[in-house]
Structures are given as structure tokens and as C-alpha cells.
Amino acid sequence: MPVTDRFVFMNHAALAPMSGPAAEVVAEEARRVAATGDLHWPYRQEGVEAAREAAARLLGSDEPSRVAFVHNTSTALSMVAEGLSWQAGDNVVGAACEYPSNVYPWMNLERHGVELRLAPEVEGRVPVDGIAERIDGRTRVVALSWVQYATGFRSDLAAIAELCRRHDVLFVVDAIQGLGALKLDAEAEGCDVVAAAGHKWMLGPEGIAVLWLGPRAVERIRPIHAGWRSMAHMFDWDRFEIDWNEAALGHEAGTLNAFGILALGASLDLLLEAGREAVEERVLALTGRLAEGLRSAGCTIYSPWGEGERSGIVSVIHPRHPADELTERLAEAGIRIAHRAGRLRIAPHFYNTEEEVDRVVSTLQVSP
Ligand SMILES: Cc1ncc(COP(=O)(O)O)c(C=O)c1O
């Protein structure tokens, strides 16, 4: 992680640094395309498919065709919202504290007479009861972040998935604030859709995201884009016949963002090599140390801290200074964090060190 040469980087919930291998693969491919045009395309495609396999593995799946590469999380969620068929009076259940990417695609269905019901945040949590109370016979989708961007609260996916199954509702998960840091088995945990862009915990570049579709989602969501890559016979260019590519692949329409995908793939290889369990364990150990240190230093941890609720995001209240001022002060000391909702948001990844955590703590020490 070249970023470690210059910064204590704990802002992975915003825009993460690319890994060294990710940066190298982009530079190498750019040189190749500049020098040879299409000559290397077939090999680049092999790299793209290897990245798809890596993305599937990160999601606990051995079926790469369940993964489509798209631009970003907002696009992925919009493709899901627009690809379902709606009746006036249907509703979608979400949460009031969501990042806008997981609100507007559903709000935008108002023109079909679809209602968006948002469960409130309660002391930094999205209680399962708040979701359950809003589900009725006309609910078609529950759309929720796995990890909330401002508080770091991690929802119990299996519990909500169970609820969704019982009501025959599609469970759509925005996983951007967890995937790459925490272990997710998408299908086993009952998700129907998982959407996550690569530029946070997956240590990829901007403008590339994964859209994973489970079996129920593939049945219900029509691709909203159509192009040569959408079809099973994608290289049969004089045969005009609608025969969709299987699973998620039918959603890819045309030429892919190969540079973005290769870079993402290189970072995913790094994460998978470290191991999904080991990465999660390390992230939780670092955030645990951080929270403990900050509490002793006089700060309050706002992030819910119960069993299964923690993530890579620690939301912190400093008793003396506003969060924006402190973020600035830390930046001057070479420490990159962010502030959200008036609180410090500190988000270390598996490669950060205990020494770096201790440095952040000592910089935020509340003076007597
Ligand atoms: C929960 C959540 N979803 C989505 C995004 C970003 O969406 P996109 O990939 O469309 O830029 C963010 C970025 O902060 C986020 O925190």
C-alpha cells in the first residue's frame, strides 16, 4: 500500500488508496494499449474474467456469472429498481439514515406509484423491528446498507433476509461500507442483490462496482440496458435475436471498463490472499484498539458496539472540539480521516498498524 509512505490513512469509508498491484496493472495495460491497440485484448479479457472470479469469491460464491461489473453503487441499485416491474401501491422499505445512493433509486419509482418507507435510526442503529413494522403485503423490496456510512452500524443480514423470505420480498444490500473489510457470504446470508463500488474497502479505483444477483433476483430483474454483451451469443454480431446472457452477465450491455476491473481485481487478489476471515479479524482488532484508546483518551464512541454490530467504521465524539476542526488538525499531522454527521469517522483497514492507531489516539487525547 504505497499510501503508507506518506500518510496514516484511515479514511477507507470515503475514497481508499489503490493498492500497489492495482496501480501497476493499470500502468502496464495503458502502456500495452498505447503500443498495440487491440493486440492484447484477449489477454486483457482473461484478466477481466479472473477479476470476476475474485469478486465472486469475495462474496462467498463460486459462480462468477452472478457478478456484473457496473459503474458505481448508484447505477447498480438503479438498475435493480428500474429492472423490476412495479404496480401502483407497491412499496419499498429502507432506512432514514442511508447514503443517498440507496434512497434516490427507490424514490425515483414514485412515478409508478411506489411508496418508499424509511425506518428510523435509533441511537445509531437500524433496528430490525423498524424494518419489520413497515413490511406489508405490498412490499416488494427491502433496500438496506450492510454497514451504515455515518455510524458504522452493521445490520444483521441473516435476520433481515429471513424476514424478506417470509414475505417474499427481495433483499437488496448496499455493501460498499463492508465488502473488502468484513466477510460476506451473499447467498448463504440470504441476500438477493449485493451492490458495492470498488473505491472503498476493496481498495480499487473509482468508477467500477460489482452487482451480484442471487437466483431470485435474476428471475425478477430485467436488464434495463441491451447491447452486444447482453446476449448469450455476444460474438455472433449478425444474429439479431434476444437470448439474454445468463445470470448477472446479461446486465453488462457493452464494452467494459477493463482498466478499472483489472485494478479492482489486483486489489481483490491481495485481500483474498490475506484471507476474508483474517482481514475481518484484523479490521475489528484495529477498530477495537482504537475505540478502547479513544475512550481512555476522553472521547465517546458513537458507533453501536454490541455483538455483531461493529465494522471498520468508528464514529467518535470529542468533548472539546468540533469534528471538522479535528479532521483538519489530523490532516496537518499526516493522518487522513473524515467527519460525518458532526462526528469524527475513523476507518482503518487491515494493513494499518497498532502504532498508527496509537498515533491517532494520542493526537485526539483530550487535554485535562
Ligand atoms: C453506503 C454508501 N453507498 C454508496 C456510496 C457511494 O455510491 P457510488 O458508488 O454510487 O458513488 C457510499 C459512499 O460514501 C456509501 O457510503
Side-chain angles (χ1 to χ4, degrees):
M1 296 299 301
V3 76
T4 56
D5 294 344
R6 279 189 70 188
F7 295 117
V8 171
F9 193 94
M10 297 199 188
N11 203 12
H12 297 90
L15 180 59
M18 276 204 272
S19 68
E24 270 162 37
V25 79
V26 172
E28 195 181 312
E29 284 302 317
R31 275 195 294 273
R32 278 209 183 104
V33 178
T36 68
D38 71 332
L39 187 67
H40 199 255
W41 190 84
Y43 306 105
R44 194 154 49 252
Q45 283 310 292
E46 284 174 18
V48 163
E49 293 313 312
R52 196 189 303 280
E53 266 176 51
R57 276 177 56 210
L58 191 71
L59 288 155
S61 162
D62 56 6
E63 291 181 73
S65 67
R66 297 218 165 280
V67 174
F69 286 118
V70 300
H71 305 309
N72 50 51
T73 323
S74 307
T75 308
L77 294 169
S78 294
M79 286 164 70
V80 173
E82 298 299 327
L84 287 163
S85 57
W86 300 94
Q87 310 270 337
D90 287 344
N91 67 71
V92 173
V93 174
C97 51
E98 287 286 326
Y99 191 78
S101 299
N102 198 19
V103 176
Y104 289 123
W106 313 109
M107 219 178 213
N108 193 30
L109 298 171
E110 200 183 355
R111 68 192 195 281
H112 298 300
V114 175
E115 182 197 354
L116 176 60
R117 301 175 171 180
L118 299 178
E121 183 187 74
V122 182
E123 292 171 357
R125 297 176 171 85
V126 181
V128 177
D129 287 354
I131 304 284
E133 280 162 17
R134 283 166 179 79
I135 297 177
D136 63 18
R138 297 302 303 273
T139 305
R140 305 281 312 284
V141 165
V142 167
L144 202 64
S145 280
W146 182 21
V147 171
Q148 289 298 333
Y149 80 102
T151 60
F153 171 71
R154 173 183 186 166
S155 276
D156 181 348
L157 294 185
I160 299 162
E162 217 280 304
L163 203 62
C164 289
R165 289 294 141 123
R166 223 182 308 141
H167 292 87
D168 193 30
V169 165
L170 216 57
F171 187 25
V172 177
V173 179
D174 173 348
I176 193 173
Q177 291 294 6
L179 195 61
L182 308 174
K183 186 180 166 206
L184 177 62
D185 286 322
E187 192 158 1
E189 293 186 49
C191 305
D192 291 303
V193 174
V194 176
H199 62 270
K200 298 187 193 286
W201 301 93
M202 288 189 268
L203 306 173
E206 293 158 83
I208 187 69
V210 295
L211 170 62
W212 178 91
L213 299 179
R216 295 199 318 160
V218 169
E219 264 174 39
R220 295 180 195 193
I221 303 165
R222 268 184 67 84
I224 59 163
H225 305 118
W228 64 276
R229 271 191 88 90
S230 313
M231 301 301 146
H233 52 284
M234 67 163 109
F235 293 108
D236 213 349
W237 297 330
D238 52 9
R239 184 172 139 213
F240 296 149
E241 191 186 318
I242 296 278
D243 173 18
W244 294 102
N245 213 329
E246 63 173 312
L249 296 173
H251 291 260
E252 282 183 347
T255 302
L256 295 170
N257 171 7
F259 289 86
I261 295 168
L262 293 177
L264 178 65
S267 285
L268 294 186
D269 287 346
L270 205 70
L271 291 165
L272 289 166
E273 197 182 310
R276 298 188 307 153
E277 287 86 359
V279 168
E280 170 164 335
E281 226 171 84
R282 173 81 183 152
V283 168
L284 294 180
L286 289 172
T287 52
R289 184 184 182 99
L290 183 65
E292 201 176 308
L294 287 173
R295 280 195 196 103
S296 313
C299 296
T300 302
I301 304 303
Y302 185 80
S303 299
W305 218 251
E307 178 73 24
E309 294 181 337
R310 290 172 52 199
S311 67
I313 295 176
V314 187
S315 173
V316 182
I317 299 169
H318 192 281
R320 297 270 166 82
H321 303 287
D324 53 350
E325 185 189 306
L326 286 170
T327 304
E328 195 74 14
R329 193 197 295 173
L330 263 66
E332 281 161 18
I335 299 169
R336 301 214 54 86
I337 64 155
H339 56 92
R340 292 289 184 274
R343 300 180 295 268
L344 296 169
R345 186 182 71 176
I346 313 179
H349 212 326
F350 78 120
Y351 66 88
N352 286 118
T353 64
E354 283 79 2
E355 293 70 31
E356 288 178 322
V357 167
D358 296 347
R359 218 177 116 193
V360 173
V361 170
S362 64
T363 315
L364 290 172
Q365 176 78 46
V366 179
S367 45

